[in-house]
Structure formats: C-alpha cells, structure tokens
Amino acid sequence: QVQLMESGGGSVQAGGSLKLSCIASGDTWRACEWGWYRPAPGTGRELVSSISRDDNRIIKYSESVKGRFTISQDLAKNTLYLEMNSLKIEDAAVYTCAAKRCGRVEYDYWGQGTQVTVFT
C-alpha cells in the first residue's frame, strides 16, 4: 500500500500563489505515476497534472491550468508538489494527490485532499 498526505492548501486572493505538497509513504516503489486531481462538473473529477516517478516526465497538464501550474517531485523526500500561480476563482477546490501502479489506467492510491480557497 501507498499512503499519501497532502498539505499546503489555504486561502489566497485571486492572482496569488500556493504550493501544495504530497508526501508518500509505505510501498512507494509500487507507484509509477502520480498527480493531482480536483473536482470537475460533469466528469466528477479532473486530473490537473501528473508526472512519471521513474523518469520525471510530465505526463499531463489540464488545459485550464497550463502555463499557471507546475508539477514537480523530490523523490529523495518522496514528495510531490504542485505550484499554483495566477490563481483564479475557478481554481478553488479540494486538491487530492493520487498515485497509480505501473500499467494501470486508473489511480490506485488517494490522499485525503487539501482545500484551496480563492477570493477576490
């Protein structure tokens, strides 16, 4: 099993920045890819961004965050980051860290989420 714990959420004015962190523990070797989700109307949730743990390859940025959010990782610390800049009202959500095993389509492991609030 892989346990994921997020931190870094908070309340920020529109246009501001936040940096989320997700620390992985347990059988972290099982996780080939990890990323950040948030709720999305209609689809239930949106994969905001993901990255390959093995080769640091960025796999995805959703169109809504391209150019504003940056995903990164520090494997020595087993930590995933999401740096969010130029935050918009519509970015407000619970951001959840997730990881999946190699060869899997769906994500297997989930954190509890961290709340991001954006105000004008």
Side-chain angles (χ1 to χ4, degrees), residues 74-110:
D74 183 339
L75 294 181
K77 297 180 179 179
N78 267 321
T79 302
L80 177 71
Y81 302 101
L82 184 68
E83 185 167 1
M84 306 184 295
N85 297 314
S86 302
L87 281 160
K88 303 176 181 180
I89 297 295
E90 53 265 39
D91 293 320
V94 174
Y95 285 74
T96 303
C97 177
K100 64 177 176 178
R101 290 171 285 171
C102 299
R104 295 272 292 172
V105 174
E106 299 295 329
Y107 277 71
D108 300 290
Y109 310 107
W110 297 85

PDB file of all heavy atoms in Angstrom, residues 74-110:
ATOM      1  N   ASP A  74      10.276  15.481  -5.596  1.00  0.00           N
ATOM      2  CA  ASP A  74      11.569  15.265  -4.961  1.00  0.00           C
ATOM      3  C   ASP A  74      11.518  13.843  -4.415  1.00  0.00           C
ATOM      4  O   ASP A  74      10.952  13.603  -3.337  1.00  0.00           O
ATOM      5  CB  ASP A  74      11.798  16.290  -3.842  1.00  0.00           C
ATOM      6  CG  ASP A  74      13.166  16.159  -3.197  1.00  0.00           C
ATOM      7  OD1 ASP A  74      13.787  15.076  -3.310  1.00  0.00           O
ATOM      8  OD2 ASP A  74      13.612  17.124  -2.576  1.00  0.00           O
ATOM      9  N   LEU A  75      12.070  12.908  -5.160  1.00  0.00           N
ATOM     10  CA  LEU A  75      11.950  11.513  -4.774  1.00  0.00           C
ATOM     11  C   LEU A  75      12.756  11.189  -3.525  1.00  0.00           C
ATOM     12  O   LEU A  75      12.411  10.261  -2.809  1.00  0.00           O
ATOM     13  CB  LEU A  75      12.373  10.608  -5.937  1.00  0.00           C
ATOM     14  CG  LEU A  75      11.464  10.681  -7.157  1.00  0.00           C
ATOM     15  CD1 LEU A  75      11.952   9.731  -8.243  1.00  0.00           C
ATOM     16  CD2 LEU A  75      10.026  10.382  -6.783  1.00  0.00           C
ATOM     17  N   ALA A  76      13.799  11.953  -3.260  1.00  0.00           N
ATOM     18  CA  ALA A  76      14.560  11.741  -2.020  1.00  0.00           C
ATOM     19  C   ALA A  76      13.672  12.000  -0.807  1.00  0.00           C
ATOM     20  O   ALA A  76      13.869  11.409   0.253  1.00  0.00           O
ATOM     21  CB  ALA A  76      15.778  12.648  -1.995  1.00  0.00           C
ATOM     22  N   LYS A  77      12.710  12.874  -0.981  1.00  0.00           N
ATOM     23  CA  LYS A  77      11.765  13.191   0.086  1.00  0.00           C
ATOM     24  C   LYS A  77      10.418  12.502  -0.130  1.00  0.00           C
ATOM     25  O   LYS A  77       9.491  12.720   0.648  1.00  0.00           O
ATOM     26  CB  LYS A  77      11.557  14.700   0.179  1.00  0.00           C
ATOM     27  CG  LYS A  77      12.810  15.475   0.536  1.00  0.00           C
ATOM     28  CD  LYS A  77      12.525  16.971   0.611  1.00  0.00           C
ATOM     29  CE  LYS A  77      13.775  17.740   0.992  1.00  0.00           C
ATOM     30  NZ  LYS A  77      13.530  19.211   1.042  1.00  0.00           N
ATOM     31  N   ASN A  78      10.308  11.736  -1.205  1.00  0.00           N
ATOM     32  CA  ASN A  78       9.022  11.098  -1.557  1.00  0.00           C
ATOM     33  C   ASN A  78       7.890  12.115  -1.565  1.00  0.00           C
ATOM     34  O   ASN A  78       6.795  11.856  -1.053  1.00  0.00           O
ATOM     35  CB  ASN A  78       8.685   9.971  -0.591  1.00  0.00           C
ATOM     36  CG  ASN A  78       9.168   8.633  -1.102  1.00  0.00           C
ATOM     37  OD1 ASN A  78       9.081   8.347  -2.307  1.00  0.00           O
ATOM     38  ND2 ASN A  78       9.705   7.826  -0.221  1.00  0.00           N
ATOM     39  N   THR A  79       8.160  13.249  -2.168  1.00  0.00           N
ATOM     40  CA  THR A  79       7.200  14.351  -2.141  1.00  0.00           C
ATOM     41  C   THR A  79       6.881  14.840  -3.544  1.00  0.00           C
ATOM     42  O   THR A  79       7.770  15.024  -4.366  1.00  0.00           O
ATOM     43  CB  THR A  79       7.729  15.509  -1.292  1.00  0.00           C
ATOM     44  OG1 THR A  79       8.005  15.037   0.035  1.00  0.00           O
ATOM     45  CG2 THR A  79       6.708  16.633  -1.210  1.00  0.00           C
ATOM     46  N   LEU A  80       5.602  15.053  -3.757  1.00  0.00           N
ATOM     47  CA  LEU A  80       5.085  15.623  -4.999  1.00  0.00           C
ATOM     48  C   LEU A  80       4.617  17.038  -4.698  1.00  0.00           C
ATOM     49  O   LEU A  80       4.059  17.297  -3.629  1.00  0.00           O
ATOM     50  CB  LEU A  80       3.910  14.789  -5.501  1.00  0.00           C
ATOM     51  CG  LEU A  80       3.186  15.267  -6.748  1.00  0.00           C
ATOM     52  CD1 LEU A  80       4.060  15.070  -7.983  1.00  0.00           C
ATOM     53  CD2 LEU A  80       1.856  14.522  -6.916  1.00  0.00           C
ATOM     54  N   TYR A  81       4.834  17.931  -5.645  1.00  0.00           N
ATOM     55  CA  TYR A  81       4.454  19.326  -5.467  1.00  0.00           C
ATOM     56  C   TYR A  81       3.539  19.780  -6.597  1.00  0.00           C
ATOM     57  O   TYR A  81       3.583  19.259  -7.701  1.00  0.00           O
ATOM     58  CB  TYR A  81       5.687  20.226  -5.446  1.00  0.00           C
ATOM     59  CG  TYR A  81       6.696  19.892  -4.394  1.00  0.00           C
ATOM     60  CD1 TYR A  81       7.849  19.173  -4.717  1.00  0.00           C
ATOM     61  CD2 TYR A  81       6.520  20.287  -3.072  1.00  0.00           C
ATOM     62  CE1 TYR A  81       8.789  18.861  -3.751  1.00  0.00           C
ATOM     63  CE2 TYR A  81       7.460  19.977  -2.102  1.00  0.00           C
ATOM     64  CZ  TYR A  81       8.587  19.263  -2.445  1.00  0.00           C
ATOM     65  OH  TYR A  81       9.517  18.947  -1.477  1.00  0.00           O
ATOM     66  N   LEU A  82       2.754  20.787  -6.286  1.00  0.00           N
ATOM     67  CA  LEU A  82       2.008  21.494  -7.320  1.00  0.00           C
ATOM     68  C   LEU A  82       2.084  22.971  -6.992  1.00  0.00           C
ATOM     69  O   LEU A  82       1.478  23.429  -6.016  1.00  0.00           O
ATOM     70  CB  LEU A  82       0.548  21.035  -7.377  1.00  0.00           C
ATOM     71  CG  LEU A  82      -0.267  21.669  -8.517  1.00  0.00           C
ATOM     72  CD1 LEU A  82       0.245  21.141  -9.872  1.00  0.00           C
ATOM     73  CD2 LEU A  82      -1.758  21.358  -8.377  1.00  0.00           C
ATOM     74  N   GLU A  83       2.860  23.682  -7.781  1.00  0.00           N
ATOM     75  CA  GLU A  83       2.975  25.120  -7.611  1.00  0.00           C
ATOM     76  C   GLU A  83       1.902  25.775  -8.462  1.00  0.00           C
ATOM     77  O   GLU A  83       1.847  25.569  -9.674  1.00  0.00           O
ATOM     78  CB  GLU A  83       4.354  25.612  -8.015  1.00  0.00           C
ATOM     79  CG  GLU A  83       4.559  27.093  -7.745  1.00  0.00           C
ATOM     80  CD  GLU A  83       6.018  27.497  -7.863  1.00  0.00           C
ATOM     81  OE1 GLU A  83       6.862  26.639  -8.173  1.00  0.00           O
ATOM     82  OE2 GLU A  83       6.298  28.677  -7.638  1.00  0.00           O
ATOM     83  N   MET A  84       1.069  26.560  -7.819  1.00  0.00           N
ATOM     84  CA  MET A  84      -0.074  27.173  -8.489  1.00  0.00           C
ATOM     85  C   MET A  84       0.088  28.680  -8.471  1.00  0.00           C
ATOM     86  O   MET A  84       0.141  29.282  -7.396  1.00  0.00           O
ATOM     87  CB  MET A  84      -1.367  26.767  -7.784  1.00  0.00           C
ATOM     88  CG  MET A  84      -1.541  25.261  -7.643  1.00  0.00           C
ATOM     89  SD  MET A  84      -3.118  24.786  -6.921  1.00  0.00           S
ATOM     90  CE  MET A  84      -2.932  25.465  -5.293  1.00  0.00           C
ATOM     91  N   ASN A  85       0.179  29.261  -9.644  1.00  0.00           N
ATOM     92  CA  ASN A  85       0.331  30.707  -9.784  1.00  0.00           C
ATOM     93  C   ASN A  85      -0.874  31.293 -10.513  1.00  0.00           C
ATOM     94  O   ASN A  85      -1.622  30.569 -11.169  1.00  0.00           O
ATOM     95  CB  ASN A  85       1.617  31.025 -10.556  1.00  0.00           C
ATOM     96  CG  ASN A  85       2.851  30.555  -9.840  1.00  0.00           C
ATOM     97  OD1 ASN A  85       3.010  30.763  -8.638  1.00  0.00           O
ATOM     98  ND2 ASN A  85       3.750  29.895 -10.565  1.00  0.00           N
ATOM     99  N   SER A  86      -1.019  32.585 -10.405  1.00  0.00           N
ATOM    100  CA  SER A  86      -2.118  33.286 -11.080  1.00  0.00           C
ATOM    101  C   SER A  86      -3.449  32.596 -10.812  1.00  0.00           C
ATOM    102  O   SER A  86      -4.227  32.331 -11.738  1.00  0.00           O
ATOM    103  CB  SER A  86      -1.853  33.357 -12.587  1.00  0.00           C
ATOM    104  OG  SER A  86      -0.637  34.007 -12.846  1.00  0.00           O
ATOM    105  N   LEU A  87      -3.691  32.318  -9.561  1.00  0.00           N
ATOM    106  CA  LEU A  87      -4.895  31.565  -9.202  1.00  0.00           C
ATOM    107  C   LEU A  87      -6.159  32.326  -9.546  1.00  0.00           C
ATOM    108  O   LEU A  87      -6.239  33.558  -9.386  1.00  0.00           O
ATOM    109  CB  LEU A  87      -4.870  31.215  -7.721  1.00  0.00           C
ATOM    110  CG  LEU A  87      -3.970  30.015  -7.381  1.00  0.00           C
ATOM    111  CD1 LEU A  87      -3.606  30.007  -5.919  1.00  0.00           C
ATOM    112  CD2 LEU A  87      -4.649  28.722  -7.790  1.00  0.00           C
ATOM    113  N   LYS A  88      -7.150  31.581 -10.002  1.00  0.00           N
ATOM    114  CA  LYS A  88      -8.435  32.130 -10.376  1.00  0.00           C
ATOM    115  C   LYS A  88      -9.518  31.607  -9.416  1.00  0.00           C
ATOM    116  O   LYS A  88      -9.318  30.577  -8.759  1.00  0.00           O
ATOM    117  CB  LYS A  88      -8.785  31.714 -11.811  1.00  0.00           C
ATOM    118  CG  LYS A  88      -7.758  32.111 -12.850  1.00  0.00           C
ATOM    119  CD  LYS A  88      -8.143  31.571 -14.222  1.00  0.00           C
ATOM    120  CE  LYS A  88      -7.105  31.952 -15.269  1.00  0.00           C
ATOM    121  NZ  LYS A  88      -7.471  31.433 -16.619  1.00  0.00           N
ATOM    122  N   ILE A  89     -10.625  32.280  -9.405  1.00  0.00           N
ATOM    123  CA  ILE A  89     -11.745  31.856  -8.561  1.00  0.00           C
ATOM    124  C   ILE A  89     -12.111  30.402  -8.871  1.00  0.00           C
ATOM    125  O   ILE A  89     -12.372  29.602  -7.952  1.00  0.00           O
ATOM    126  CB  ILE A  89     -12.955  32.767  -8.772  1.00  0.00           C
ATOM    127  CG1 ILE A  89     -12.642  34.197  -8.347  1.00  0.00           C
ATOM    128  CG2 ILE A  89     -14.167  32.223  -8.021  1.00  0.00           C
ATOM    129  CD1 ILE A  89     -12.369  34.362  -6.874  1.00  0.00           C
ATOM    130  N   GLU A  90     -12.071  30.064 -10.132  1.00  0.00           N
ATOM    131  CA  GLU A  90     -12.487  28.714 -10.529  1.00  0.00           C
ATOM    132  C   GLU A  90     -11.476  27.631 -10.165  1.00  0.00           C
ATOM    133  O   GLU A  90     -11.757  26.441 -10.327  1.00  0.00           O
ATOM    134  CB  GLU A  90     -12.779  28.659 -12.035  1.00  0.00           C
ATOM    135  CG  GLU A  90     -11.667  29.178 -12.920  1.00  0.00           C
ATOM    136  CD  GLU A  90     -11.858  30.636 -13.308  1.00  0.00           C
ATOM    137  OE1 GLU A  90     -12.311  31.434 -12.466  1.00  0.00           O
ATOM    138  OE2 GLU A  90     -11.533  30.965 -14.470  1.00  0.00           O
ATOM    139  N   ASP A  91     -10.312  28.028  -9.669  1.00  0.00           N
ATOM    140  CA  ASP A  91      -9.333  27.040  -9.193  1.00  0.00           C
ATOM    141  C   ASP A  91      -9.654  26.560  -7.782  1.00  0.00           C
ATOM    142  O   ASP A  91      -9.059  25.585  -7.311  1.00  0.00           O
ATOM    143  CB  ASP A  91      -7.920  27.626  -9.200  1.00  0.00           C
ATOM    144  CG  ASP A  91      -7.399  27.908 -10.588  1.00  0.00           C
ATOM    145  OD1 ASP A  91      -7.642  27.090 -11.505  1.00  0.00           O
ATOM    146  OD2 ASP A  91      -6.737  28.958 -10.764  1.00  0.00           O
ATOM    147  N   ALA A  92     -10.543  27.233  -7.114  1.00  0.00           N
ATOM    148  CA  ALA A  92     -10.893  26.842  -5.749  1.00  0.00           C
ATOM    149  C   ALA A  92     -11.483  25.440  -5.745  1.00  0.00           C
ATOM    150  O   ALA A  92     -12.419  25.146  -6.497  1.00  0.00           O
ATOM    151  CB  ALA A  92     -11.885  27.825  -5.161  1.00  0.00           C
ATOM    152  N   ALA A  93     -10.915  24.579  -4.916  1.00  0.00           N
ATOM    153  CA  ALA A  93     -11.345  23.173  -4.884  1.00  0.00           C
ATOM    154  C   ALA A  93     -10.564  22.439  -3.814  1.00  0.00           C
ATOM    155  O   ALA A  93      -9.600  22.981  -3.254  1.00  0.00           O
ATOM    156  CB  ALA A  93     -11.090  22.509  -6.238  1.00  0.00           C
ATOM    157  N   VAL A  94     -10.963  21.212  -3.568  1.00  0.00           N
ATOM    158  CA  VAL A  94     -10.136  20.295  -2.791  1.00  0.00           C
ATOM    159  C   VAL A  94      -9.222  19.578  -3.771  1.00  0.00           C
ATOM    160  O   VAL A  94      -9.690  18.918  -4.701  1.00  0.00           O
ATOM    161  CB  VAL A  94     -10.993  19.278  -2.021  1.00  0.00           C
ATOM    162  CG1 VAL A  94     -10.099  18.253  -1.334  1.00  0.00           C
ATOM    163  CG2 VAL A  94     -11.881  19.991  -1.003  1.00  0.00           C
ATOM    164  N   TYR A  95      -7.928  19.713  -3.564  1.00  0.00           N
ATOM    165  CA  TYR A  95      -6.943  19.083  -4.429  1.00  0.00           C
ATOM    166  C   TYR A  95      -6.466  17.795  -3.764  1.00  0.00           C
ATOM    167  O   TYR A  95      -6.040  17.818  -2.607  1.00  0.00           O
ATOM    168  CB  TYR A  95      -5.767  20.029  -4.686  1.00  0.00           C
ATOM    169  CG  TYR A  95      -6.120  21.118  -5.654  1.00  0.00           C
ATOM    170  CD1 TYR A  95      -6.930  22.181  -5.259  1.00  0.00           C
ATOM    171  CD2 TYR A  95      -5.660  21.092  -6.964  1.00  0.00           C
ATOM    172  CE1 TYR A  95      -7.278  23.184  -6.150  1.00  0.00           C
ATOM    173  CE2 TYR A  95      -6.003  22.095  -7.865  1.00  0.00           C
ATOM    174  CZ  TYR A  95      -6.816  23.132  -7.450  1.00  0.00           C
ATOM    175  OH  TYR A  95      -7.152  24.113  -8.342  1.00  0.00           O
ATOM    176  N   THR A  96      -6.551  16.728  -4.520  1.00  0.00           N
ATOM    177  CA  THR A  96      -6.216  15.418  -3.980  1.00  0.00           C
ATOM    178  C   THR A  96      -5.046  14.815  -4.737  1.00  0.00           C
ATOM    179  O   THR A  96      -5.029  14.803  -5.970  1.00  0.00           O
ATOM    180  CB  THR A  96      -7.421  14.468  -4.078  1.00  0.00           C
ATOM    181  OG1 THR A  96      -8.542  15.051  -3.394  1.00  0.00           O
ATOM    182  CG2 THR A  96      -7.109  13.130  -3.445  1.00  0.00           C
ATOM    183  N   CYS A  97      -4.097  14.335  -3.992  1.00  0.00           N
ATOM    184  CA  CYS A  97      -2.940  13.646  -4.548  1.00  0.00           C
ATOM    185  C   CYS A  97      -3.316  12.182  -4.790  1.00  0.00           C
ATOM    186  O   CYS A  97      -4.003  11.563  -3.959  1.00  0.00           O
ATOM    187  CB  CYS A  97      -1.798  13.751  -3.547  1.00  0.00           C
ATOM    188  SG  CYS A  97      -0.290  12.888  -4.001  1.00  0.00           S
ATOM    189  N   ALA A  98      -2.860  11.645  -5.921  1.00  0.00           N
ATOM    190  CA  ALA A  98      -3.161  10.255  -6.242  1.00  0.00           C
ATOM    191  C   ALA A  98      -1.955   9.618  -6.922  1.00  0.00           C
ATOM    192  O   ALA A  98      -1.146  10.315  -7.547  1.00  0.00           O
ATOM    193  CB  ALA A  98      -4.378  10.173  -7.151  1.00  0.00           C
ATOM    194  N   ALA A  99      -1.866   8.301  -6.794  1.00  0.00           N
ATOM    195  CA  ALA A  99      -0.756   7.565  -7.416  1.00  0.00           C
ATOM    196  C   ALA A  99      -1.286   6.271  -8.018  1.00  0.00           C
ATOM    197  O   ALA A  99      -2.293   5.729  -7.553  1.00  0.00           O
ATOM    198  CB  ALA A  99       0.325   7.266  -6.379  1.00  0.00           C
ATOM    199  N   LYS A 100      -0.602   5.810  -9.056  1.00  0.00           N
ATOM    200  CA  LYS A 100      -1.020   4.540  -9.638  1.00  0.00           C
ATOM    201  C   LYS A 100       0.172   3.641  -9.935  1.00  0.00           C
ATOM    202  O   LYS A 100       1.286   4.098 -10.143  1.00  0.00           O
ATOM    203  CB  LYS A 100      -1.852   4.749 -10.886  1.00  0.00           C
ATOM    204  CG  LYS A 100      -1.164   5.409 -12.047  1.00  0.00           C
ATOM    205  CD  LYS A 100      -2.141   5.453 -13.228  1.00  0.00           C
ATOM    206  CE  LYS A 100      -1.566   6.188 -14.407  1.00  0.00           C
ATOM    207  NZ  LYS A 100      -2.485   6.191 -15.570  1.00  0.00           N
ATOM    208  N   ARG A 101      -0.132   2.369  -9.938  1.00  0.00           N
ATOM    209  CA  ARG A 101       0.889   1.362 -10.219  1.00  0.00           C
ATOM    210  C   ARG A 101       1.179   1.315 -11.714  1.00  0.00           C
ATOM    211  O   ARG A 101       0.386   1.763 -12.531  1.00  0.00           O
ATOM    212  CB  ARG A 101       0.409   0.004  -9.733  1.00  0.00           C
ATOM    213  CG  ARG A 101       0.347  -0.106  -8.217  1.00  0.00           C
ATOM    214  CD  ARG A 101      -0.330  -1.390  -7.795  1.00  0.00           C
ATOM    215  NE  ARG A 101      -1.768  -1.325  -7.977  1.00  0.00           N
ATOM    216  CZ  ARG A 101      -2.569  -2.361  -7.846  1.00  0.00           C
ATOM    217  NH1 ARG A 101      -2.088  -3.557  -7.554  1.00  0.00           N
ATOM    218  NH2 ARG A 101      -3.871  -2.222  -8.006  1.00  0.00           N
ATOM    219  N   CYS A 102       2.315   0.770 -12.038  1.00  0.00           N
ATOM    220  CA  CYS A 102       2.706   0.649 -13.430  1.00  0.00           C
ATOM    221  C   CYS A 102       1.686  -0.168 -14.205  1.00  0.00           C
ATOM    222  O   CYS A 102       1.196  -1.197 -13.708  1.00  0.00           O
ATOM    223  CB  CYS A 102       4.078  -0.018 -13.538  1.00  0.00           C
ATOM    224  SG  CYS A 102       5.389   0.892 -12.734  1.00  0.00           S
ATOM    225  N   GLY A 103       1.357   0.271 -15.387  1.00  0.00           N
ATOM    226  CA  GLY A 103       0.445  -0.460 -16.250  1.00  0.00           C
ATOM    227  C   GLY A 103      -1.023  -0.249 -15.952  1.00  0.00           C
ATOM    228  O   GLY A 103      -1.888  -0.752 -16.669  1.00  0.00           O
ATOM    229  N   ARG A 104      -1.306   0.481 -14.913  1.00  0.00           N
ATOM    230  CA  ARG A 104      -2.702   0.706 -14.555  1.00  0.00           C
ATOM    231  C   ARG A 104      -3.253   1.937 -15.269  1.00  0.00           C
ATOM    232  O   ARG A 104      -2.536   2.898 -15.503  1.00  0.00           O
ATOM    233  CB  ARG A 104      -2.810   0.909 -13.052  1.00  0.00           C
ATOM    234  CG  ARG A 104      -2.436  -0.317 -12.245  1.00  0.00           C
ATOM    235  CD  ARG A 104      -3.621  -1.187 -12.047  1.00  0.00           C
ATOM    236  NE  ARG A 104      -4.601  -0.550 -11.162  1.00  0.00           N
ATOM    237  CZ  ARG A 104      -5.814  -1.044 -10.943  1.00  0.00           C
ATOM    238  NH1 ARG A 104      -6.201  -2.152 -11.547  1.00  0.00           N
ATOM    239  NH2 ARG A 104      -6.636  -0.426 -10.113  1.00  0.00           N
ATOM    240  N   VAL A 105      -4.531   1.882 -15.585  1.00  0.00           N
ATOM    241  CA  VAL A 105      -5.189   3.036 -16.183  1.00  0.00           C
ATOM    242  C   VAL A 105      -5.726   3.951 -15.092  1.00  0.00           C
ATOM    243  O   VAL A 105      -5.586   5.164 -15.137  1.00  0.00           O
ATOM    244  CB  VAL A 105      -6.325   2.585 -17.109  1.00  0.00           C
ATOM    245  CG1 VAL A 105      -7.103   3.795 -17.620  1.00  0.00           C
ATOM    246  CG2 VAL A 105      -5.781   1.766 -18.265  1.00  0.00           C
ATOM    247  N   GLU A 106      -6.335   3.327 -14.111  1.00  0.00           N
ATOM    248  CA  GLU A 106      -6.926   4.100 -13.032  1.00  0.00           C
ATOM    249  C   GLU A 106      -5.915   4.286 -11.896  1.00  0.00           C
ATOM    250  O   GLU A 106      -5.008   3.479 -11.716  1.00  0.00           O
ATOM    251  CB  GLU A 106      -8.162   3.372 -12.479  1.00  0.00           C
ATOM    252  CG  GLU A 106      -9.259   3.157 -13.504  1.00  0.00           C
ATOM    253  CD  GLU A 106      -9.854   4.464 -13.981  1.00  0.00           C
ATOM    254  OE1 GLU A 106      -9.883   5.433 -13.192  1.00  0.00           O
ATOM    255  OE2 GLU A 106     -10.301   4.526 -15.147  1.00  0.00           O
ATOM    256  N   TYR A 107      -6.112   5.357 -11.133  1.00  0.00           N
ATOM    257  CA  TYR A 107      -5.264   5.597  -9.977  1.00  0.00           C
ATOM    258  C   TYR A 107      -5.686   4.684  -8.833  1.00  0.00           C
ATOM    259  O   TYR A 107      -6.867   4.411  -8.632  1.00  0.00           O
ATOM    260  CB  TYR A 107      -5.342   7.074  -9.572  1.00  0.00           C
ATOM    261  CG  TYR A 107      -4.423   7.946 -10.399  1.00  0.00           C
ATOM    262  CD1 TYR A 107      -4.694   8.209 -11.735  1.00  0.00           C
ATOM    263  CD2 TYR A 107      -3.261   8.461  -9.848  1.00  0.00           C
ATOM    264  CE1 TYR A 107      -3.842   8.970 -12.510  1.00  0.00           C
ATOM    265  CE2 TYR A 107      -2.396   9.236 -10.607  1.00  0.00           C
ATOM    266  CZ  TYR A 107      -2.694   9.486 -11.939  1.00  0.00           C
ATOM    267  OH  TYR A 107      -1.838  10.242 -12.691  1.00  0.00           O
ATOM    268  N   ASP A 108      -4.670   4.203  -8.107  1.00  0.00           N
ATOM    269  CA  ASP A 108      -4.908   3.202  -7.073  1.00  0.00           C
ATOM    270  C   ASP A 108      -4.927   3.779  -5.667  1.00  0.00           C
ATOM    271  O   ASP A 108      -5.586   3.232  -4.778  1.00  0.00           O
ATOM    272  CB  ASP A 108      -3.796   2.143  -7.119  1.00  0.00           C
ATOM    273  CG  ASP A 108      -3.735   1.441  -8.459  1.00  0.00           C
ATOM    274  OD1 ASP A 108      -4.669   0.672  -8.745  1.00  0.00           O
ATOM    275  OD2 ASP A 108      -2.764   1.671  -9.211  1.00  0.00           O
ATOM    276  N   TYR A 109      -4.147   4.808  -5.452  1.00  0.00           N
ATOM    277  CA  TYR A 109      -3.951   5.324  -4.102  1.00  0.00           C
ATOM    278  C   TYR A 109      -4.332   6.799  -4.064  1.00  0.00           C
ATOM    279  O   TYR A 109      -3.995   7.552  -4.976  1.00  0.00           O
ATOM    280  CB  TYR A 109      -2.488   5.140  -3.680  1.00  0.00           C
ATOM    281  CG  TYR A 109      -1.966   3.744  -3.913  1.00  0.00           C
ATOM    282  CD1 TYR A 109      -1.073   3.472  -4.949  1.00  0.00           C
ATOM    283  CD2 TYR A 109      -2.384   2.684  -3.105  1.00  0.00           C
ATOM    284  CE1 TYR A 109      -0.600   2.186  -5.174  1.00  0.00           C
ATOM    285  CE2 TYR A 109      -1.914   1.393  -3.324  1.00  0.00           C
ATOM    286  CZ  TYR A 109      -1.029   1.151  -4.355  1.00  0.00           C
ATOM    287  OH  TYR A 109      -0.572  -0.118  -4.573  1.00  0.00           O
ATOM    288  N   TRP A 110      -4.985   7.175  -2.968  1.00  0.00           N
ATOM    289  CA  TRP A 110      -5.517   8.538  -2.861  1.00  0.00           C
ATOM    290  C   TRP A 110      -5.232   9.136  -1.501  1.00  0.00           C
ATOM    291  O   TRP A 110      -5.277   8.447  -0.483  1.00  0.00           O
ATOM    292  CB  TRP A 110      -7.036   8.505  -3.071  1.00  0.00           C
ATOM    293  CG  TRP A 110      -7.415   8.024  -4.432  1.00  0.00           C
ATOM    294  CD1 TRP A 110      -7.558   6.723  -4.844  1.00  0.00           C
ATOM    295  CD2 TRP A 110      -7.675   8.829  -5.582  1.00  0.00           C
ATOM    296  NE1 TRP A 110      -7.902   6.680  -6.175  1.00  0.00           N
ATOM    297  CE2 TRP A 110      -7.976   7.953  -6.647  1.00  0.00           C
ATOM    298  CE3 TRP A 110      -7.682  10.209  -5.808  1.00  0.00           C
ATOM    299  CZ2 TRP A 110      -8.279   8.421  -7.935  1.00  0.00           C
ATOM    300  CZ3 TRP A 110      -7.988  10.661  -7.075  1.00  0.00           C
ATOM    301  CH2 TRP A 110      -8.290   9.778  -8.126  1.00  0.00           C
TER     302      TRP A 110
END
